[in-house]
Amino acid sequence: HGNKWFSTPNKSLIFSFFFLPEIPLKKIGIFPLLAGVSIVKGIHTITDILTGLKWPNDIMLNQKKMGGILIESRTTNKGLGLVVGIGLNVNESPDNFPKELNNKATSLFIYSGEEFKREIIISSILNEFESLYFHDWQNITSLWEKYCIHKNNTITFHNGEKFLQGEFQGITNSGYAQIKLNGEIETFPAGMITL
């Protein structure tokens, strides 16, 4: 959507990894959720800071964005391949962000006043991702909802055509948003939420 991600050398954690999942194409929407839960659990294990999730791919801390997920798929000669891209603000101070983002962005350092070793955080996130992918696939939706910061809250939803206001009910097993609009629950595969 033309958004930019600002990173600070030696302070941000920006990485991507490629893998060939052995799942049906219709389940591809679950990967942003899997990545999000892995990030929340991985950060909490190392820092004892509990971040939250905003549908579909934002990592939130203290009502501000501290990370994001971007997943792209490619068809290869070995089948469907996924690139999982993750950007996290770890050790940034407020002056590392453009002024227009100071009320919207944060970092683990801004929140806690403590610097963290980025290598340990990335290891923890990848360990969580691997564990969830191989052993806890069926619980991803409920785990994601556990960390969602806006479940049952009124949100503004932009689906590319218009802005809608409703109550965020949760997500489907495919990772689609369920939003109550005018008393009825509607399902959306994509869009942007404003809190």
Side-chain angles (χ1 to χ4, degrees):
H1 301 288
N3 295 333
K4 294 180 180 177
W5 185 262
F6 295 91
S7 64
T8 306
N10 304 315
K11 293 189 176 188
S12 300
L13 188 51
I14 309 292
F15 64 99
S16 58
F17 58 95
F18 176 81
F19 73 115
L20 299 161
E22 296 178 2
I23 59 154
L25 188 58
K26 65 182 180 183
K27 291 203 174 230
I28 208 80
I30 211 81
F31 277 92
L33 312 179
L34 176 63
V37 171
S38 303
I39 292 166
V40 170
K41 288 171 68 80
I43 288 173
H44 188 253
T45 297
I46 300 304
T47 68
D48 209 29
I49 296 171
L50 188 59
T51 56
L53 298 169
K54 180 168 135 292
W55 189 86
N57 54 13
D58 289 344
I59 311 302
M60 305 295 288
L61 180 59
N62 208 20
Q63 297 297 313
K64 295 182 179 180
K65 186 169 176 175
M66 65 108 0
I69 303 159
L70 181 63
I71 297 183
E72 295 184 357
S73 59
R74 295 281 184 271
T75 304
T76 70
N77 57 1
K78 294 182 179 178
L80 181 70
L82 290 182
V83 178
V84 180
I86 295 171
L88 300 172
N89 299 327
V90 178
N91 292 322
E92 287 87 349
S93 57
D95 59 356
N96 291 132
F97 298 121
K99 283 191 174 105
E100 65 269 18
L101 295 182
N102 275 337
N103 292 325
K104 298 177 182 177
T106 191
S107 71
L108 296 175
F109 175 77
I110 292 169
Y111 178 80
S112 68
E114 189 178 341
E115 287 199 3
F116 298 97
K117 291 193 181 296
R118 294 170 301 142
E119 302 88 345
I120 296 174
I121 291 175
I122 192 173
S123 296
S124 182
I125 292 168
L126 293 175
N127 285 339
E128 289 289 350
F129 188 93
E130 182 179 33
S131 177
L132 290 166
Y133 178 74
F134 285 112
H135 306 296
D136 217 0
W137 188 257
Q138 68 282 358
N139 293 322
I140 293 303
T141 303
S142 58
L143 283 169
W144 189 93
E145 288 185 346
K146 174 183 169 184
Y147 298 123
C148 176
I149 65 166
H150 54 80
K151 186 167 182 196
N152 300 321
N153 290 351
T154 299
I155 52 94
T156 301
F157 180 73
H158 183 237
N159 67 353
E161 298 170 9
K162 54 188 172 183
F163 287 91
L164 309 165
Q165 194 163 53
E167 187 178 290
F168 190 89
Q169 299 291 291
I171 52 174
T172 68
N173 287 335
S174 300
Y176 297 172
Q178 293 183 307
I179 302 173
K180 186 186 274 187
L181 301 165
N182 302 317
E184 293 194 21
I185 296 175
E186 295 189 37
T187 301
F188 299 91
M192 290 178 61
I193 284 178
T194 307
L195 304 179

